[in-house]
């Protein structure tokens, strides 16, 4: 839900193995305090948004076992 992206102080988001569908929204970049983002083993598809590179506090990023396509945004290379 879009309201999730209003939680700008959220530090941990564990949604692995929840059969989530759709795409990873560009609004993910608003979660700048996020340290752990686990979306492993869902049914997410599409391309990874470049806004994922705005997650400057992220320490753990788990996106495997989804149906993402395309290239990994170069912004991911600037993550800690």
């Amino acid at each position: 839900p879009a309201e999730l992206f209003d939680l700008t102080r959220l530090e941990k988001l564990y949604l692995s193995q929840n059969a989530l569908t759709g795409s990873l929204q560009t609004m993910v970049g608003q979660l700048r305090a996020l340290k752990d983002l686990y979306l492993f083993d869902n049914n997410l598809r599409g391309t990874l948004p470049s806004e994922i590179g705005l997650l400057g506090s992220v320490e753990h990023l788990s996106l495997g076992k989804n149906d993402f396509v395309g290239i990994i945004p170069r912004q991911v290379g600037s993550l800690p």
Side-chain angles (χ1 to χ4, degrees):
E3 295 82 14
L4 173 69
F5 302 106
D6 292 334
L7 302 173
T8 56
R9 294 176 53 193
L10 185 68
E11 293 186 1
K12 298 178 185 215
L13 184 59
Y14 297 94
L15 294 174
S16 294
Q17 299 177 324
N18 276 287
L20 299 176
T21 60
S23 61
L24 186 55
Q25 301 297 309
T26 58
M27 293 183 292
V28 71
Q30 294 175 207
L31 301 176
R32 298 199 177 156
L34 208 57
K35 293 181 180 180
D36 297 341
L37 176 58
Y38 287 87
L39 297 173
F40 181 82
D41 197 12
N42 281 293
N43 296 310
L44 298 172
R45 55 184 63 231
T47 59
L48 290 175
S50 60
E51 289 81 1
I52 203 163
L54 297 173
L55 302 178
S57 298
V58 77
E59 296 172 1
H60 301 104
L61 179 63
S62 181
L63 303 172
K65 292 193 83 176
N66 282 290
D67 293 317
F68 293 117
V69 296
I71 60 171
I72 297 171
R74 62 183 162 80
Q75 293 85 344
V76 172
S78 65
L79 293 175

